[in-house]
Amino acid sequence: MPHATPLLALLLLASTPALAQNGPPPLTPEQSQAASARYQQYCALCHSPDRSGYANDHAPSLKSPQLFAAGYPYIIGEAIAYGRPGTPMGAYHEEVGGPLKRAEIRELTMWLRDQAGAEPVELPDGAVLGDVALGAQVYADTCATCHGAQGEGGTGTALGNATMLALTPDAFIRHTIENGRDGTPMLAFRDTLSDAQIDGVTAFIRSRSSGWTVPEPQRHVPPALDAYIMNPEAPAPEFALTDGLYVSSAELDRELKAGKRLVLLDTRVTSMWERGHIEGSVPGPYYASREEVMANLPTDGTWIVAYCECPRAAAESVVRKLREGGLTHTAVLWEGFQGWVSLGYPVVGGNAAPKPE
Ligand code: HEC
Ligand code: HEC
C-alpha cells in the first residue's frame, strides 16, 4: 500500500486559524454563479444537486453546518484538491490530473461555505492527546458499524484514509465526533461519550495515519554517500525541461523505470524522507546549506532531480543553490511528492532501504 501521509500539509494546516478568522474576501456574484455551475457539473452526481449528500456512493453532505464550522475553507479545499484516494472521492486539482484550477477550487469551497451559512469556530492547534487503547475500544463498540472495522468506510466515510488523515487536523476530527453532522447518519456523541472517550477515539484514529494495520511507522536509514547515484553505469536520462526547470512525474517515472543514471533528491525535512519517499531518493533537505547539500552530490554533470511535498517551493530553493554552485543538470519535479502519490506512482513506505543499484 502506498505511503501517503503528507505530514507537512498537516503542520501547515495546524497553523492556519488566522485564515478562519479573517478569511479570504467574499465571492463576487459572478464567482458565485460560476462556482454553483461547477458544483452541478462536477459534484452533484454524488453529493446531490442540493448538497445534502447521499445521491451516490455514500457521498457525505456538503451542507451540514458542522462541516463548515470546523472545516476551515482550506481543509475542505484540500479534500476537493487531493480527494480521498481509494474512495469514490477523486482529486479535482489540475496538478494531479483534475479539471479545476486552484482558484476555482477556492471559489467552490467558499461558495459551499456561503450556502451552508455556518460561522467558523476557532479550533485549538496541535494534537488531541488521548488514551489510544480506550479509543480503540470505543471505536470497535460505537463507530465500526458505520466506518468499518479497519476504517475502510461503509455508511460512514473512510476514517482510515491516509490522505484524509494527512490533510485533516485532530481538532476537526474531534469536533465532528462531538457535534455530529446535521441531516446525516453521523450523530453528535457529546452526550453519550465522555471527554476522555472522545479524546481517546480521536487519538486512536490519528494513530492509524500510516495505515490501519501499521501502527508504528518504519524509519529508513540514509544510504552511504557513494550510493547517492542511481544506476551509476547507465546512460543519462533525457529530460525536456519545462521553463528550463521542471520535469513531470510521467517523465521522471519513465526514466526511473528505464534505469537511468541520476540522483533523486528529497528536499523535505528528513523525518519525512525516513517515513516514506520515492524509491531511490536520498535526503537533501531544503534547510541544509549549499555546501552541505553539495558535499553529497556528484559534480560531473549527473542529473539531479529535486522534489518536495507540495508542490515545488522547497525543491526550487535547493535547485537554486545547486545552480549557483555550478550544477546545471538539475531539475524540479513539477507535481511534488503529493502530486506523485495522487497520480498513483510508487513510493517506499515499508522498511526496505532504497537500493541505489
Ligand atoms: C463519484 C462520487 C463523487 C463525486 C463526483 C464527488 N465526490 Fe466528494 N466525496 C465522495 C465520497 C464517497 C466522499 C467520502 C469519501 C470518504 O472519505 O470515505 C466524498 C468526500 C468529499 C468531501 C469531504 C467531506 C467530509 O465530510 O470530510 C468534500 C469536501 C467533497 N467530497 C467535495 C466534493 C466536491 C466539491 C466535488 C465536486 C468538485 C465532489 N466532492 C465530487 C464522492 C464524490
Ligand atoms: C450510524 C452511522 C455512524 C456511526 C455509528 C458513526 N458515524 Fe461517523 N460518520 C457517519 C457518516 C454518514 C459520516 C459523514 C456525514 C456527512 O454526510 O457529513 C460520518 C462522519 C464522520 C467523521 C468525519 C470524517 C470526514 O471525512 O470528514 C468523523 C471523524 C466520524 N464520523 C467519526 C466517528 C466516530 C469516532 C464514531 C464513533 C464514536 C462515529 N463516527 C460513529 C456515520 C456514522
Side-chain angles (χ1 to χ4, degrees), residues 6 174 186 205 232 235 278 292 313 337:
R174 194 188 192 290
M186 179 65 194
I205 291 168
I278 302 179
E292 284 169 327
F337 185 72

Side-chain angles (χ1 to χ4, degrees), residues 15-346:
S15 60
T16 51
L19 193 64
Q21 277 159 14
N22 307 323
L27 296 181
T28 64
E30 293 72 31
Q31 287 172 325
S32 277
Q33 213 173 6
S36 163
R38 284 192 194 102
Y39 178 82
Q40 295 305 331
Q41 181 180 1
Y42 296 115
C43 323
L45 174 72
C46 299
H47 291 280
S48 91
D50 70 353
R51 297 168 285 108
S52 54
Y54 305 94
N56 273 305
D57 297 335
H58 297 299
S61 164
L62 295 182
K63 69 191 290 188
S64 73
Q66 292 90 345
L67 175 63
F68 290 91
Y72 306 147
Y74 191 72
I75 301 173
I76 310 273
E78 293 299 276
I80 303 170
Y82 295 107
R84 304 267 168 90
T87 81
M89 179 63 198
Y92 286 86
H93 191 2
E94 63 176 0
E95 285 198 348
V96 288
L100 300 178
K101 297 186 191 319
R102 179 58 80 177
E104 293 169 339
I105 291 176
R106 197 182 57 237
E107 285 169 17
L108 189 48
T109 307
M110 300 308 297
W111 177 80
L112 285 166
R113 191 203 58 172
D114 291 349
Q115 300 302 305
E119 280 300 313
V121 292
E122 199 175 332
L123 297 178
D125 280 351
V128 169
L129 302 175
D131 178 342
V132 173
L134 172 69
Q137 197 55 52
V138 173
Y139 187 85
D141 294 344
T142 318
C143 322
T145 46
C146 292
H147 289 284
Q150 307 278 308
E152 70 275 20
T155 319
T157 49
L159 297 181
N161 188 269
T163 303
M164 186 283 278
L165 288 170
L167 299 175
T168 307
D170 287 5
F172 172 84
I173 295 175
R174 194 188 192 290
H175 184 274
T176 307
I177 301 168
E178 212 178 356
N179 299 287
R181 300 257 176 95
D182 290 357
T184 84
M186 179 65 194
L187 303 175
F189 287 94
R190 198 190 304 116
D191 299 325
T192 47
L193 295 178
S194 67
D195 279 354
Q197 286 175 313
I198 295 179
D199 286 344
V201 75
T202 304
F204 169 71
I205 291 168
R206 171 62 60 207
S207 75
R208 308 293 96 172
S209 298
S210 296
W212 206 259
T213 54
V214 193
E216 290 306 321
Q218 301 282 342
R219 292 180 62 177
H220 300 261
V221 181
L225 296 187
D226 62 2
Y228 266 39
I229 303 177
M230 274 191 262
N231 311 305
E233 308 304 329
E238 281 164 40
F239 290 132
L241 299 190
T242 307
D243 294 338
L245 186 56
Y246 304 111
V247 295
S248 67
S249 293
E251 264 180 297
L252 177 63
D253 182 59
R254 183 194 66 211
E255 299 297 331
L256 289 176
K257 285 204 175 107
K260 297 293 179 59
R261 171 188 172 97
L262 64 99
V263 173
L264 188 54
L265 204 57
D266 186 319
T267 64
R268 303 172 301 165
V269 53
T270 309
S271 60
M272 297 176 88
W273 182 88
E274 288 179 359
R275 282 165 161 246
H277 51 255
I278 302 179
E279 184 165 17
S281 68
V282 290
Y286 64 90
Y287 46 83
S289 69
R290 184 169 82 205
E291 290 67 33
E292 284 169 327
V293 196
M294 286 192 51
N296 298 343
L297 297 175
T299 51
D300 60 356
T302 300
W303 272 97
I304 300 167
V305 179
Y307 68 85
C308 56
E309 184 74 13
C310 124
R312 289 175 291 275
E316 282 181 10
S317 79
V318 171
V319 164
R320 209 175 307 125
K321 288 180 205 166
L322 298 181
R323 288 188 174 183
E324 282 164 14
L327 301 187
T328 49
H329 284 154
T330 42
V332 168
L333 178 64
W334 176 255
E335 296 93 344
F337 185 72
Q338 242 176 54
W340 173 272
V341 170
S342 300
L343 288 166
Y345 292 114

